[in-house]
Amino acid sequence: SVAVDNSLIWNINKPSTFGPSVVEATTATGTNVVEAAVYDSATDVAKTVLDAAILVGQQGYNCDSVAVAPAWEFRAAASRTPSLIANPIGADTPFPLLLAGMGVHTKPLRWDVSQADAIVGSWSNLLVGMRQDISLQSFTTGVISDSSGVVQANLMQSNLTAVRLVMRVGFLLTNPPTDAALDAAHRCPLALVVNHTDSVRRSVKAK
């Protein structure tokens, strides 16, 4: 769901009992944020993803896939850069959704374009578990108010149905030992490609 993605990946309304979100973990390690240049027709957007994969790989993790912002694949295809052309998934495909062996996952349910352009890494180390069955209640009467008490919807008057869904989710971004001789505080199985709209633009190299 959008709420789960917001919490686990983008650190939006994340419960205090959860560990670091993806954005928090990649930023805290310092070695896992790659800045992408402002996009134009000459920008190699595929290479920025490969640069992020290099940082993760240098820490001993196996990069298996990349999740990208909406329309990333079209920008990459339009640029027709050498790194794109050299990695075809098949002769009949106009754009390879496989980059250096990594699957490229497009059309995310929820993406914060202000924070990242892509997330690269070993996704098997991002663990999400359901701790309780989902409970669901529907309502056709009552009002829905915002945090200030202002009524946003009157269910009966507007002929609306509201649904309240409750579930318990466990989350952990693991940091298992690897062969790389790096301080555990500076290792993370995922890396961000920070886009040009981010206010904190960073380009760092693995130690």
Side-chain angles (χ1 to χ4, degrees), residues 135-187:
S135 63
L136 186 148
Q137 293 176 290
S138 62
F139 304 87
T140 56
T141 60
V143 296
I144 298 175
S145 305
D146 62 19
S147 58
S148 300
V150 178
V151 174
Q152 299 297 307
N154 185 316
L155 302 183
M156 185 174 65
Q157 179 179 328
S158 302
N159 194 28
L160 298 174
T161 299
V163 175
R164 178 167 61 193
L165 183 149
V166 178
M167 67 181 193
R168 299 181 65 198
V169 178
F171 164 73
L172 180 64
L173 183 60
T174 65
N175 188 10
T178 69
D179 292 335
L182 294 169
D183 187 330
H186 294 88
R187 286 192 290 109

Side-chain angles (χ1 to χ4, degrees), residues 2-194:
V2 171
V4 173
D5 283 358
N6 276 341
S7 173
L8 307 188
I9 297 177
W10 307 112
N11 197 41
I12 299 173
N13 297 324
K14 179 173 67 66
S16 60
T17 53
F18 280 11
S21 65
V22 171
V23 167
E24 288 179 304
T26 54
T27 302
T29 57
T31 59
N32 299 306
V33 181
V34 179
E35 180 185 31
V38 176
Y39 290 118
D40 56 33
S41 59
T43 301
D44 192 339
V45 295
K47 184 179 182 299
T48 61
V49 167
L50 296 176
D51 288 341
I54 289 171
L55 293 182
V56 176
Q58 286 175 339
Q59 299 170 83
Y61 297 109
N62 178 34
C63 283
D64 48 38
S65 60
V66 51
V68 295
W72 180 94
E73 67 273 29
F74 303 121
R75 295 198 305 270
S79 66
R80 300 302 296 169
T81 57
S83 64
L84 177 68
I85 297 170
N87 287 279
I89 195 172
D92 297 329
T93 54
F95 172 72
L97 292 182
L98 188 70
L99 189 60
M102 297 186 299
V104 179
H105 300 278
T106 62
K107 300 175 179 63
L109 178 63
R110 167 71 172 91
W111 194 275
D112 190 340
V113 295
S114 70
Q115 298 199 64
D117 205 51
I119 305 173
V120 188
S122 176
W123 289 87
S124 61
N125 289 299
L126 193 157
L127 306 179
V128 180
M130 296 292 298
R131 300 177 60 189
Q132 177 178 297
D133 289 340
I134 296 174
S135 63
L136 186 148
Q137 293 176 290
S138 62
F139 304 87
T140 56
T141 60
V143 296
I144 298 175
S145 305
D146 62 19
S147 58
S148 300
V150 178
V151 174
Q152 299 297 307
N154 185 316
L155 302 183
M156 185 174 65
Q157 179 179 328
S158 302
N159 194 28
L160 298 174
T161 299
V163 175
R164 178 167 61 193
L165 183 149
V166 178
M167 67 181 193
R168 299 181 65 198
V169 178
F171 164 73
L172 180 64
L173 183 60
T174 65
N175 188 10
T178 69
D179 292 335
L182 294 169
D183 187 330
H186 294 88
R187 286 192 290 109
C188 183
L190 298 173
L192 292 185
V193 173
V194 181

